[in-house]
Amino acid sequence: MAIDSLITLTGEAWEDYGLVDSGNGRKLERYGRYHFIRPEPQAMWRPAQDNWQADGEFIGASDEDGGGRWHLKPYVPKDGWLLQWEDVCFLAQNTSFRHLAFFPDMAPQWAWMRERVTEDAEILNLFGYTGVGSLALAAKGGKVTHVDASKKSVASAKNNAELSGLTDKPIRWIVDDAVKFTAREVRRHRRYDGILMDPPKFGRGPAHEVWRLEENLSDLIDEAVKLLDQKSKFLVLTVYAVRMSALAIGELLSQATQHLGGCVEVGEMAIKEEARGLNLPTAIFARWKND
């Protein structure tokens, strides 16, 4: 199936999060009662306001690969503070990777998947991180397998499950390399009704396995699709490596799922700015659906 159009999936502000303003390579965001400034290369325009008031700012390093550190007011809780999205509670925290322990632009994807999750649906969340996506699906009745190579991330996800009152939900918490776990599930002849994949640009597994997005994504998609069948409902792939093309990952997913029927949507993810309503692009995505 050929990809002939791109769509923009725009996240709106909610009570505990908003993109307040952006411009000059930075963005001002609201995370509950705190405001933070972070670098944002996509914000090439001028901001709506000149004097931003914030509780902290991440100052990036000069090298292209990232780095930098937070400069926070002393009252910002180092152990995080509670936020909520719909029926899911979780901790936001200033991490060394410049983000806040979750990705707010994923909210439209969470909502889209929740519409397709039926009671007892089997869902696989690869690179599950702190578990907000897993909990959003479990709250709708899904049986979720949450996989991440980081023990710390999985521990945070379990803690978020407690904060959300979802510890009684059928969630498997797996500390493992996503590629190896997926291959084992294929050998076990497991199937899933839906898969969420949010792979990093670079990572290491618990046994020092090396993940490189450009080199490993194609093989992982081919293996993950083997866990789906014609009764499955979705596969969502999000990519934050801006050098890749939405059309490229769309064609990749389209080829891998063509035997299943359904269709593939591709495009950009964005967050709507509160100041002027413009859309700040954040990531690209491809998703297969079988409605």
Side-chain angles (χ1 to χ4, degrees):
M1 64 188 93
I3 303 298
D4 56 8
S5 63
L6 298 173
I7 65 175
T8 301
L9 193 64
T10 304
E12 304 276 353
W14 74 83
E15 184 175 354
D16 276 349
Y17 173 78
L19 173 64
V20 179
D21 196 3
S22 63
N24 293 338
R26 301 189 303 164
K27 57 186 174 183
L28 173 65
E29 297 167 291
R30 168 176 54 82
Y31 288 86
R33 61 187 182 274
Y34 301 110
H35 288 69
F36 300 104
I37 299 170
R38 295 192 288 161
E40 181 48 72
Q42 302 276 27
M44 295 179 281
W45 43 80
R46 291 186 296 273
Q49 303 171 356
D50 293 328
N51 298 314
W52 289 352
Q53 300 298 314
D55 302 291
E57 180 173 2
F58 189 93
I59 305 298
S62 58
D63 60 284
E64 184 180 353
D65 292 330
R69 63 186 295 267
W70 283 101
H71 297 261
L72 302 171
K73 298 293 178 64
Y75 52 77
V76 176
K78 293 182 179 180
D79 295 330
W81 60 98
L82 191 65
L83 298 184
Q84 184 169 348
W85 177 81
E86 296 197 5
D87 49 3
V88 177
C89 296
F90 53 95
L91 285 181
Q93 188 175 19
N94 304 91
T95 75
S96 58
F97 300 102
R98 85 174 57 189
H99 52 71
L100 278 291
F102 77 105
F103 297 96
D105 56 333
M106 285 293 297
Q109 300 283 19
W110 301 331
W112 184 87
M113 289 184 289
R114 278 158 67 103
E115 293 175 355
R116 289 161 174 78
V117 171
T118 56
E119 194 72 23
D120 296 329
E122 294 280 354
I123 309 297
L124 175 61
N125 186 2
L126 295 172
F127 311 96
Y129 194 40
T130 56
V132 182
S134 294
L135 298 176
L137 299 173
K140 286 296 183 180
K143 295 181 177 178
V144 180
T145 298
H146 174 104
V147 182
D148 198 282
S150 167
K151 291 182 180 180
K152 183 178 179 180
S153 292
V154 173
S156 296
K158 290 181 179 180
N159 183 57
N160 286 335
E162 292 182 9
L163 294 172
S164 299
L166 296 174
T167 55
D168 61 330
K169 297 297 182 179
I171 305 175
R172 288 199 298 162
W173 304 107
I174 308 292
V175 178
D176 202 352
D177 174 73
V179 175
K180 290 185 176 180
F181 178 83
T182 302
R184 285 198 300 273
E185 291 288 86
V186 170
R187 293 195 295 270
R188 295 171 184 139
H189 302 288
R190 287 289 303 272
R191 70 165 296 278
Y192 289 90
D193 296 290
I195 298 176
L196 169 59
M197 302 170 58
D198 183 22
K201 181 178 180 180
F202 177 83
R204 293 188 183 275
H208 305 291
E209 303 92 340
V210 175
W211 164 269
R212 290 185 175 88
L213 185 68
E214 294 86 351
E215 297 175 10
N216 303 125
L217 181 59
S218 178
D219 290 340
L220 178 59
I221 289 177
D222 286 343
E223 286 296 290
V225 167
K226 295 175 184 177
L227 301 174
L228 302 172
D229 59 26
Q230 293 181 341
K231 294 182 179 180
S232 301
K233 295 298 183 183
F234 65 82
L235 187 154
V236 173
L237 167 67
T238 59
V239 174
Y240 286 81
V242 295
R243 290 181 179 177
M244 297 187 74
S245 162
L247 286 173
I249 65 170
E251 293 292 356
L252 187 62
L253 185 58
S254 179
Q255 289 184 15
T257 58
Q258 60 185 348
H259 65 290
L260 297 174
C263 65
V264 171
E265 299 176 334
V266 304
E268 292 196 27
M269 293 162 57
I271 296 180
K272 180 169 289 187
E273 182 193 272
E274 292 178 314
R276 293 164 291 190
L278 59 77
N279 291 335
L280 176 67
T282 59
I284 59 175
F285 77 94
R287 63 189 186 192
W288 169 79
K289 63 178 181 177
N290 187 24
D291 295 333

